[in-house]
Structure formats: C-alpha cells, structure tokens
Amino acid sequence: MIFASYNIQYGFGLDGRYDLERIAKSLEGADVIALQEVTRGFVRNDYADMPAIIGALFPDHFWVYGPACDIHVEVPEGQVSPPRGTRFQFGNMVLSRWPILSTRTLLLPRSRTVDKINLQRGATEAVIAMPDGAVRVYSVHLDHVSIDERIAQLHHLGDRINAFVQEGASLTGGCEFGLPEPPLPEDYIIMGDFNMEPESPEYCTFAGAFDGFYGRTARIGTPIDAFAALGAYGPGSYSWMDPEDHGKRMHIDYCFVSCGLKDRLKSAVIDTNSVGSDHFPLRVEIGN
C-alpha cells in the first residue's frame, strides 16, 4: 500500500501557476493521500472549491476535508453565487481507495500573533477500512512561525493520538442512531507538513530524543519516523524549496507510523521532480 503526503500550497507551483491536475498526476498510484493547504473561497485561486475539484480528480477514492480555519469573506459582485460573500476555509484532506469510516478534525493549540499571519491549524483524522483491517491516518499541518507553538501542538496531537482508543472516534454509542460502532484501531500513520527539521526540538518532542548509546528506541506511544527507520534520508534531503531562491531548501514534511507498523515499512521517497507546489510529495510503502 502506498501512502502519500503533499502540501499543495493552494494549488500554486514553483512557477506560480495554479494547476490541480498536475498535482493529481504527481500523486498517481497512491492508495491513501494526505493533503495540506487545501482551501475553499480563497481569492488567490478565484474562490475555488478545491476539495470538490480534487475529489473529482480521484474518482476511485473516498475523501474527507477538515477545514481548521473558517471565516466569512466579502467577495466582489458577480464572483460567487449567491452574492452574499463566501467562506474562506483552510485545512487538510485525506483521500483513500477504501472507505473512510470515521473522521474528525483535531484543532491544535495556537497563540495570537501581531504581525505574522497565524491560521488555526489542525490534524484531520480518518479511520480507514483497509483490506487487512482498519487503520488511522492523520493529515497534519503545524504552525510555521514559532518553535514553542509547534511543540505545544505536538504535545496535544500526541495526547489525542494515544488516547484514541479510550476516547473513541468521531462517534461512540452509535446504536442510539442506528449506526454501527466505528472500529478503534491502535495503528496509525501521521503525514503532513510539520514545519520542523530533523532532530530539531520539536522533532525530538514527537519522535523522542536520540540517545548517544542506544539511538532512538521504538516504544509504545512514540511515533516512528518512517524515513529514519528505513535509512531514507540522503545528504541534503529536502521536501520544501523557496520559490524565490531554489538554493534555500528544508526537510519539513514527514510520515510517522505507530510501532505496530514499523516492521511493515518497505520504502520511502520524496519526489523532488514535482513542481506543483513549493513542497514536494513524499511516498511511503507499507506492506501487508
């Protein structure tokens, strides 16, 4: 099974061109896809309903959209219908070849900024009915300005992920509605734009600190970096490039998995030939 993650920057590529079809093409063959920076009602892409457009580009996939930021915006007359303004939404998507049985958007902690934009960030959780059993997938986008904020967000995210079995999915006690109880899988895949570099304070908060003698020991409750586990980090590895200065590059996109999936990891790559965003799509193969 191929899991892919891509921050698609509202659909704009390194060349400044808005093109969702080339983004979809770069994700061909992926079974489960996590997207970040997906918008509705954004002036920069003519108020496009990106989730609906992307969903149509993947007719064989189920999909969910989790807008963490949602505000009213005024729109010039004639640009939307009805002419009463629209909603600007900013969030994450998950697409899957298999049914998405349950979903919820986890709102991450944030603090009010003065001169830097700070949107509400979130993690979109999807419980997916995989062929060999349900698994959780999270599409994550962390703050881009503050280390302290990212650390707080990762603490919160880790707490929610580890409490999932006790808290339940988006619905429990579904018999009252005549609905089946969603499964509560222990295993998970967390993908997205973390806006942190390997071995940074934020990274160690989430993946655990590296011990000088034992390295990083896999332990229940601590996510495992798929690229690190597979030795897939190369010299100068990167997943983001500055559109104005292509020499400015960072590795800030990740795939983390639960301990139960560690031995099923097969491969991990970043497609730096894709130009549909300022980020690059990553793919991780997980065997049965």
Side-chain angles (χ1 to χ4, degrees):
M1 294 179 287
I2 303 298
F3 294 79
S5 181
Y6 200 1
N7 178 325
I8 60 173
Q9 194 188 212
Y10 335 120
F12 290 96
L14 284 171
D15 54 5
R17 181 161 59 90
Y18 175 76
D19 188 343
L20 294 182
E21 290 188 2
R22 69 176 173 182
I23 286 172
K25 187 173 180 59
S26 70
L27 294 166
E28 285 181 352
D31 298 303
V32 177
I33 302 166
L35 302 178
Q36 303 83 46
E37 292 196 14
V38 182
T39 63
R40 280 189 179 124
F42 188 24
V43 63
R44 280 189 56 190
N45 53 26
D46 293 328
Y47 308 100
D49 185 345
M50 289 181 66
I53 297 169
I54 292 169
L57 290 170
F58 290 91
D60 296 329
H61 287 64
F62 300 86
W63 63 270
V64 294
Y65 176 53
C69 171
D70 187 337
I71 63 173
H72 173 79
V73 294
E74 295 294 334
V75 178
E77 187 173 351
Q79 296 215 20
V80 297
S81 180
R84 299 181 59 193
T86 189
R87 304 207 67 78
F88 166 67
Q89 296 180 336
F90 176 94
N92 312 315
M93 281 186 77
V94 176
L95 301 98
S96 167
R97 292 193 190 277
W98 303 284
I100 299 174
L101 304 177
S102 172
T103 184
R104 58 179 179 164
T105 295
L106 306 175
L107 299 182
L108 302 177
R110 61 188 292 270
S111 54
R112 182 177 174 183
T113 53
V114 177
D115 57 0
K116 295 288 184 183
I117 191 168
N118 188 9
L119 299 87
Q120 173 68 58
R121 306 301 178 106
T124 300
E125 174 189 274
V127 178
I128 299 176
M130 300 288 190
D132 57 349
V135 69
R136 284 179 279 155
V137 172
Y138 294 84
S139 181
V140 178
H141 191 191
L142 300 188
D143 176 71
H144 68 296
V145 174
S146 166
I147 291 176
D148 291 337
E149 187 138 306
R150 289 193 290 275
I151 287 175
Q153 291 173 342
L154 287 167
H155 277 304
H156 182 81
L157 178 61
D159 288 345
R160 297 283 64 74
I161 287 171
N162 286 325
F164 173 83
V165 174
Q166 287 73 39
E167 292 181 351
S170 61
L171 174 144
T172 55
C175 57
E176 185 175 345
F177 290 162
L179 296 172
E181 198 78 1
L184 301 176
E186 293 190 5
D187 283 326
Y188 55 75
I189 299 101
I190 312 165
M191 299 183 286
D193 175 6
F194 286 74
N195 277 309
M196 64 185 184
E197 295 187 90
E199 303 305 326
S200 64
E202 313 97 281
Y203 180 95
C204 293
T205 292
F206 202 52
F210 188 88
D211 183 86
F213 189 81
Y214 291 105
R216 192 170 268 114
T217 303
R219 60 184 67 240
I220 300 299
T222 300
I224 294 170
D225 180 348
F227 277 74
L230 290 165
Y233 284 117
S237 177
Y238 62 95
S239 67
W240 171 86
M241 177 185 292
D242 188 334
E244 305 299 326
D245 179 1
H246 289 188
K248 187 176 181 181
R249 305 169 176 180
M250 292 191 295
H251 185 98
I252 56 178
D253 299 85
Y254 297 86
C255 174
F256 293 94
V257 301
S258 57
C259 288
L261 298 177
K262 178 178 181 292
D263 292 338
R264 292 169 55 184
L265 292 169
K266 300 297 183 183
S267 65
V269 295
I270 298 174
D271 179 10
T272 53
N273 292 316
S274 294
V275 295
S277 171
D278 58 344
H279 290 248
F280 301 97
L282 62 83
R283 290 175 180 252
V284 173
E285 182 182 3
I286 299 178
N288 295 324

mmCIF file of all heavy atoms in Angstrom, residues 34-66:
data_model
loop_
_atom_site.group_PDB
_atom_site.id
_atom_site.type_symbol
_atom_site.label_atom_id
_atom_site.label_comp_id
_atom_site.label_asym_id
_atom_site.label_seq_id
_atom_site.Cartn_x
_atom_site.Cartn_y
_atom_site.Cartn_z
ATOM 1 N N ALA A 34 -2.636 12.241 1.968
ATOM 2 C CA ALA A 34 -2.867 13.325 2.924
ATOM 3 C C ALA A 34 -2.417 14.631 2.268
ATOM 4 O O ALA A 34 -1.284 14.733 1.798
ATOM 5 C CB ALA A 34 -2.078 13.085 4.212
ATOM 6 N N LEU A 35 -3.320 15.605 2.219
ATOM 7 C CA LEU A 35 -3.022 16.902 1.620
ATOM 8 C C LEU A 35 -3.138 17.999 2.661
ATOM 9 O O LEU A 35 -3.987 17.929 3.555
ATOM 10 C CB LEU A 35 -3.972 17.203 0.459
ATOM 11 C CG LEU A 35 -4.018 16.209 -0.699
ATOM 12 C CD1 LEU A 35 -5.049 16.645 -1.726
ATOM 13 C CD2 LEU A 35 -2.642 16.067 -1.346
ATOM 14 N N GLN A 36 -2.303 19.021 2.515
ATOM 15 C CA GLN A 36 -2.374 20.194 3.376
ATOM 16 C C GLN A 36 -2.472 21.460 2.512
ATOM 17 O O GLN A 36 -2.147 21.432 1.334
ATOM 18 C CB GLN A 36 -1.143 20.291 4.294
ATOM 19 C CG GLN A 36 -0.913 19.073 5.182
ATOM 20 C CD GLN A 36 -0.174 17.958 4.460
ATOM 21 O OE1 GLN A 36 0.825 18.202 3.785
ATOM 22 N NE2 GLN A 36 -0.668 16.727 4.601
ATOM 23 N N GLU A 37 -2.898 22.547 3.154
ATOM 24 C CA GLU A 37 -3.115 23.838 2.474
ATOM 25 C C GLU A 37 -4.131 23.694 1.342
ATOM 26 O O GLU A 37 -3.908 24.144 0.211
ATOM 27 C CB GLU A 37 -1.803 24.459 1.999
ATOM 28 C CG GLU A 37 -0.920 24.906 3.157
ATOM 29 C CD GLU A 37 0.195 25.864 2.760
ATOM 30 O OE1 GLU A 37 0.167 26.418 1.645
ATOM 31 O OE2 GLU A 37 1.094 26.068 3.602
ATOM 32 N N VAL A 38 -5.247 23.063 1.685
ATOM 33 C CA VAL A 38 -6.379 22.930 0.770
ATOM 34 C C VAL A 38 -7.397 24.003 1.171
ATOM 35 O O VAL A 38 -7.721 24.143 2.354
ATOM 36 C CB VAL A 38 -7.011 21.530 0.869
ATOM 37 C CG1 VAL A 38 -8.156 21.396 -0.123
ATOM 38 C CG2 VAL A 38 -5.951 20.453 0.634
ATOM 39 N N THR A 39 -7.905 24.764 0.192
ATOM 40 C CA THR A 39 -8.775 25.891 0.524
ATOM 41 C C THR A 39 -10.108 25.840 -0.214
ATOM 42 O O THR A 39 -10.250 25.204 -1.253
ATOM 43 C CB THR A 39 -8.097 27.235 0.175
ATOM 44 O OG1 THR A 39 -7.880 27.299 -1.244
ATOM 45 C CG2 THR A 39 -6.782 27.407 0.906
ATOM 46 N N ARG A 40 -11.046 26.554 0.353
ATOM 47 C CA ARG A 40 -12.290 26.948 -0.321
ATOM 48 C C ARG A 40 -12.423 28.461 -0.161
ATOM 49 O O ARG A 40 -12.066 29.017 0.875
ATOM 50 C CB ARG A 40 -13.512 26.304 0.329
ATOM 51 C CG ARG A 40 -13.794 24.875 -0.040
ATOM 52 C CD ARG A 40 -15.154 24.448 0.508
ATOM 53 N NE ARG A 40 -15.487 23.073 0.165
ATOM 54 C CZ ARG A 40 -15.789 22.141 1.065
ATOM 55 N NH1 ARG A 40 -15.794 22.438 2.341
ATOM 56 N NH2 ARG A 40 -16.101 20.924 0.661
ATOM 57 N N GLY A 41 -12.928 29.126 -1.191
ATOM 58 C CA GLY A 41 -13.228 30.542 -1.074
ATOM 59 C C GLY A 41 -12.017 31.435 -0.890
ATOM 60 O O GLY A 41 -12.100 32.468 -0.220
ATOM 61 N N PHE A 42 -10.894 31.087 -1.532
ATOM 62 C CA PHE A 42 -9.663 31.865 -1.385
ATOM 63 C C PHE A 42 -9.483 32.734 -2.625
ATOM 64 O O PHE A 42 -9.500 32.238 -3.758
ATOM 65 C CB PHE A 42 -8.477 30.923 -1.209
ATOM 66 C CG PHE A 42 -7.171 31.594 -0.864
ATOM 67 C CD1 PHE A 42 -7.128 32.833 -0.255
ATOM 68 C CD2 PHE A 42 -5.969 30.974 -1.159
ATOM 69 C CE1 PHE A 42 -5.918 33.446 0.069
ATOM 70 C CE2 PHE A 42 -4.750 31.565 -0.839
ATOM 71 C CZ PHE A 42 -4.735 32.809 -0.228
ATOM 72 N N VAL A 43 -9.305 34.030 -2.409
ATOM 73 C CA VAL A 43 -9.222 34.963 -3.530
ATOM 74 C C VAL A 43 -8.073 34.627 -4.471
ATOM 75 O O VAL A 43 -8.168 34.827 -5.685
ATOM 76 C CB VAL A 43 -9.110 36.414 -3.017
ATOM 77 C CG1 VAL A 43 -7.824 36.619 -2.214
ATOM 78 C CG2 VAL A 43 -9.185 37.416 -4.168
ATOM 79 N N ARG A 44 -6.972 34.077 -3.946
ATOM 80 C CA ARG A 44 -5.791 33.843 -4.788
ATOM 81 C C ARG A 44 -6.044 32.801 -5.871
ATOM 82 O O ARG A 44 -5.393 32.827 -6.910
ATOM 83 C CB ARG A 44 -4.597 33.422 -3.925
ATOM 84 C CG ARG A 44 -3.902 34.596 -3.237
ATOM 85 C CD ARG A 44 -2.607 34.153 -2.574
ATOM 86 N NE ARG A 44 -1.688 33.511 -3.499
ATOM 87 C CZ ARG A 44 -0.578 32.872 -3.122
ATOM 88 N NH1 ARG A 44 -0.282 32.776 -1.828
ATOM 89 N NH2 ARG A 44 0.218 32.324 -4.009
ATOM 90 N N ASN A 45 -6.957 31.840 -5.628
ATOM 91 C CA ASN A 45 -7.266 30.873 -6.679
ATOM 92 C C ASN A 45 -8.721 31.020 -7.134
ATOM 93 O O ASN A 45 -9.384 30.032 -7.475
ATOM 94 C CB ASN A 45 -6.946 29.437 -6.243
ATOM 95 C CG ASN A 45 -7.594 29.061 -4.916
ATOM 96 O OD1 ASN A 45 -8.615 29.622 -4.530
ATOM 97 N ND2 ASN A 45 -7.002 28.105 -4.218
ATOM 98 N N ASP A 46 -9.194 32.281 -7.154
ATOM 99 C CA ASP A 46 -10.530 32.620 -7.668
ATOM 100 C C ASP A 46 -11.638 31.890 -6.917
ATOM 101 O O ASP A 46 -12.615 31.428 -7.518
ATOM 102 C CB ASP A 46 -10.620 32.322 -9.172
ATOM 103 C CG ASP A 46 -9.728 33.239 -9.995
ATOM 104 O OD1 ASP A 46 -9.533 34.405 -9.587
ATOM 105 O OD2 ASP A 46 -9.220 32.792 -11.042
ATOM 106 N N TYR A 47 -11.476 31.764 -5.608
ATOM 107 C CA TYR A 47 -12.509 31.220 -4.729
ATOM 108 C C TYR A 47 -12.853 29.765 -5.058
ATOM 109 O O TYR A 47 -13.976 29.301 -4.852
ATOM 110 C CB TYR A 47 -13.779 32.087 -4.781
ATOM 111 C CG TYR A 47 -13.493 33.550 -4.527
ATOM 112 C CD1 TYR A 47 -13.392 34.447 -5.584
ATOM 113 C CD2 TYR A 47 -13.291 34.026 -3.233
ATOM 114 C CE1 TYR A 47 -13.113 35.792 -5.359
ATOM 115 C CE2 TYR A 47 -13.019 35.362 -2.994
ATOM 116 C CZ TYR A 47 -12.925 36.247 -4.061
ATOM 117 O OH TYR A 47 -12.634 37.578 -3.810
ATOM 118 N N ALA A 48 -11.887 29.029 -5.550
ATOM 119 C CA ALA A 48 -12.122 27.637 -5.971
ATOM 120 C C ALA A 48 -12.529 26.760 -4.792
ATOM 121 O O ALA A 48 -12.071 26.942 -3.657
ATOM 122 C CB ALA A 48 -10.857 27.069 -6.614
ATOM 123 N N ASP A 49 -13.387 25.792 -5.081
ATOM 124 C CA ASP A 49 -13.741 24.749 -4.115
ATOM 125 C C ASP A 49 -12.752 23.602 -4.336
ATOM 126 O O ASP A 49 -13.049 22.605 -5.001
ATOM 127 C CB ASP A 49 -15.173 24.283 -4.337
ATOM 128 C CG ASP A 49 -15.644 23.288 -3.272
ATOM 129 O OD1 ASP A 49 -14.797 22.752 -2.542
ATOM 130 O OD2 ASP A 49 -16.866 23.065 -3.189
ATOM 131 N N MET A 50 -11.565 23.753 -3.776
ATOM 132 C CA MET A 50 -10.503 22.790 -4.030
ATOM 133 C C MET A 50 -10.849 21.367 -3.599
ATOM 134 O O MET A 50 -10.543 20.410 -4.330
ATOM 135 C CB MET A 50 -9.195 23.247 -3.373
ATOM 136 C CG MET A 50 -8.562 24.447 -4.048
ATOM 137 S SD MET A 50 -7.005 24.928 -3.262
ATOM 138 C CE MET A 50 -5.979 23.507 -3.615
ATOM 139 N N PRO A 51 -11.482 21.151 -2.432
ATOM 140 C CA PRO A 51 -11.792 19.757 -2.068
ATOM 141 C C PRO A 51 -12.661 19.061 -3.113
ATOM 142 O O PRO A 51 -12.400 17.908 -3.466
ATOM 143 C CB PRO A 51 -12.531 19.906 -0.731
ATOM 144 C CG PRO A 51 -12.046 21.195 -0.166
ATOM 145 C CD PRO A 51 -11.822 22.093 -1.340
ATOM 146 N N ALA A 52 -13.675 19.761 -3.621
ATOM 147 C CA ALA A 52 -14.547 19.147 -4.618
ATOM 148 C C ALA A 52 -13.798 18.872 -5.915
ATOM 149 O O ALA A 52 -13.981 17.815 -6.543
ATOM 150 C CB ALA A 52 -15.752 20.051 -4.884
ATOM 151 N N ILE A 53 -12.944 19.814 -6.332
ATOM 152 C CA ILE A 53 -12.189 19.630 -7.575
ATOM 153 C C ILE A 53 -11.206 18.472 -7.436
ATOM 154 O O ILE A 53 -11.093 17.609 -8.318
ATOM 155 C CB ILE A 53 -11.449 20.926 -7.948
ATOM 156 C CG1 ILE A 53 -12.454 22.051 -8.226
ATOM 157 C CG2 ILE A 53 -10.551 20.698 -9.161
ATOM 158 C CD1 ILE A 53 -11.816 23.425 -8.345
ATOM 159 N N ILE A 54 -10.492 18.440 -6.319
ATOM 160 C CA ILE A 54 -9.522 17.360 -6.100
ATOM 161 C C ILE A 54 -10.241 16.024 -5.997
ATOM 162 O O ILE A 54 -9.799 15.006 -6.565
ATOM 163 C CB ILE A 54 -8.689 17.644 -4.836
ATOM 164 C CG1 ILE A 54 -7.787 18.860 -5.066
ATOM 165 C CG2 ILE A 54 -7.858 16.422 -4.449
ATOM 166 C CD1 ILE A 54 -7.134 19.383 -3.803
ATOM 167 N N GLY A 55 -11.363 16.000 -5.295
ATOM 168 C CA GLY A 55 -12.129 14.759 -5.187
ATOM 169 C C GLY A 55 -12.524 14.227 -6.546
ATOM 170 O O GLY A 55 -12.465 13.020 -6.808
ATOM 171 N N ALA A 56 -12.914 15.130 -7.462
ATOM 172 C CA ALA A 56 -13.304 14.713 -8.813
ATOM 173 C C ALA A 56 -12.119 14.194 -9.614
ATOM 174 O O ALA A 56 -12.289 13.370 -10.525
ATOM 175 C CB ALA A 56 -13.967 15.877 -9.542
ATOM 176 N N LEU A 57 -10.914 14.660 -9.288
ATOM 177 C CA LEU A 57 -9.717 14.201 -9.982
ATOM 178 C C LEU A 57 -9.281 12.804 -9.519
ATOM 179 O O LEU A 57 -8.434 12.178 -10.159
ATOM 180 C CB LEU A 57 -8.571 15.196 -9.772
ATOM 181 C CG LEU A 57 -8.724 16.548 -10.472
ATOM 182 C CD1 LEU A 57 -7.650 17.530 -9.990
ATOM 183 C CD2 LEU A 57 -8.649 16.388 -11.987
ATOM 184 N N PHE A 58 -9.861 12.343 -8.409
ATOM 185 C CA PHE A 58 -9.574 10.998 -7.886
ATOM 186 C C PHE A 58 -10.895 10.232 -7.753
ATOM 187 O O PHE A 58 -11.359 9.964 -6.641
ATOM 188 C CB PHE A 58 -8.862 11.092 -6.538
ATOM 189 C CG PHE A 58 -7.455 11.595 -6.618
ATOM 190 C CD1 PHE A 58 -7.186 12.961 -6.498
ATOM 191 C CD2 PHE A 58 -6.396 10.728 -6.819
ATOM 192 C CE1 PHE A 58 -5.891 13.435 -6.581
ATOM 193 C CE2 PHE A 58 -5.093 11.193 -6.895
ATOM 194 C CZ PHE A 58 -4.836 12.558 -6.782
ATOM 195 N N PRO A 59 -11.517 9.874 -8.883
ATOM 196 C CA PRO A 59 -12.844 9.250 -8.835
ATOM 197 C C PRO A 59 -12.872 7.895 -8.146
ATOM 198 O O PRO A 59 -13.950 7.439 -7.739
ATOM 199 C CB PRO A 59 -13.233 9.141 -10.314
ATOM 200 C CG PRO A 59 -11.929 9.142 -11.053
ATOM 201 C CD PRO A 59 -11.032 10.041 -10.266
ATOM 202 N N ASP A 60 -11.726 7.244 -8.008
ATOM 203 C CA ASP A 60 -11.676 5.939 -7.364
ATOM 204 C C ASP A 60 -11.395 6.030 -5.866
ATOM 205 O O ASP A 60 -11.224 4.999 -5.203
ATOM 206 C CB ASP A 60 -10.612 5.061 -8.026
ATOM 207 C CG ASP A 60 -10.932 4.755 -9.481
ATOM 208 O OD1 ASP A 60 -12.134 4.691 -9.814
ATOM 209 O OD2 ASP A 60 -9.992 4.606 -10.283
ATOM 210 N N HIS A 61 -11.314 7.251 -5.332
ATOM 211 C CA HIS A 61 -11.002 7.450 -3.919
ATOM 212 C C HIS A 61 -12.192 8.052 -3.173
ATOM 213 O O HIS A 61 -12.942 8.849 -3.729
ATOM 214 C CB HIS A 61 -9.810 8.388 -3.754
ATOM 215 C CG HIS A 61 -8.485 7.793 -4.120
ATOM 216 N ND1 HIS A 61 -8.185 7.382 -5.396
ATOM 217 C CD2 HIS A 61 -7.371 7.546 -3.374
ATOM 218 C CE1 HIS A 61 -6.937 6.902 -5.427
ATOM 219 N NE2 HIS A 61 -6.436 6.991 -4.214
ATOM 220 N N PHE A 62 -12.323 7.654 -1.921
ATOM 221 C CA PHE A 62 -13.182 8.364 -0.987
ATOM 222 C C PHE A 62 -12.382 9.557 -0.450
ATOM 223 O O PHE A 62 -11.143 9.520 -0.438
ATOM 224 C CB PHE A 62 -13.585 7.451 0.174
ATOM 225 C CG PHE A 62 -14.331 6.215 -0.247
ATOM 226 C CD1 PHE A 62 -13.643 5.058 -0.633
ATOM 227 C CD2 PHE A 62 -15.717 6.185 -0.247
ATOM 228 C CE1 PHE A 62 -14.328 3.920 -1.010
ATOM 229 C CE2 PHE A 62 -16.412 5.042 -0.630
ATOM 230 C CZ PHE A 62 -15.714 3.912 -1.011
ATOM 231 N N TRP A 63 -13.066 10.601 0.016
ATOM 232 C CA TRP A 63 -12.297 11.729 0.549
ATOM 233 C C TRP A 63 -13.064 12.462 1.639
ATOM 234 O O TRP A 63 -14.295 12.432 1.688
ATOM 235 C CB TRP A 63 -11.883 12.705 -0.551
ATOM 236 C CG TRP A 63 -13.007 13.396 -1.283
ATOM 237 C CD1 TRP A 63 -13.641 12.967 -2.412
ATOM 238 C CD2 TRP A 63 -13.606 14.659 -0.948
ATOM 239 N NE1 TRP A 63 -14.590 13.867 -2.814
ATOM 240 C CE2 TRP A 63 -14.597 14.928 -1.934
ATOM 241 C CE3 TRP A 63 -13.404 15.592 0.062
ATOM 242 C CZ2 TRP A 63 -15.383 16.087 -1.913
ATOM 243 C CZ3 TRP A 63 -14.177 16.748 0.090
ATOM 244 C CH2 TRP A 63 -15.148 16.987 -0.883
ATOM 245 N N VAL A 64 -12.289 13.100 2.535
ATOM 246 C CA VAL A 64 -12.845 13.971 3.567
ATOM 247 C C VAL A 64 -11.992 15.229 3.627
ATOM 248 O O VAL A 64 -10.799 15.216 3.291
ATOM 249 C CB VAL A 64 -12.890 13.295 4.954
ATOM 250 C CG1 VAL A 64 -13.862 12.126 4.967
ATOM 251 C CG2 VAL A 64 -11.504 12.837 5.394
ATOM 252 N N TYR A 65 -12.615 16.318 4.052
ATOM 253 C CA TYR A 65 -11.926 17.609 4.164
ATOM 254 C C TYR A 65 -12.147 18.153 5.569
ATOM 255 O O TYR A 65 -13.285 18.159 6.061
ATOM 256 C CB TYR A 65 -12.482 18.582 3.132
ATOM 257 C CG TYR A 65 -11.920 19.991 3.191
ATOM 258 C CD1 TYR A 65 -10.547 20.227 3.162
ATOM 259 C CD2 TYR A 65 -12.774 21.100 3.255
ATOM 260 C CE1 TYR A 65 -10.038 21.516 3.194
ATOM 261 C CE2 TYR A 65 -12.268 22.390 3.281
ATOM 262 C CZ TYR A 65 -10.897 22.593 3.244
ATOM 263 O OH TYR A 65 -10.400 23.873 3.279
ATOM 264 N N GLY A 66 -11.067 18.601 6.197
ATOM 265 C CA GLY A 66 -11.152 19.152 7.539
ATOM 266 C C GLY A 66 -10.632 20.578 7.587
ATOM 267 O O GLY A 66 -9.430 20.793 7.763
#
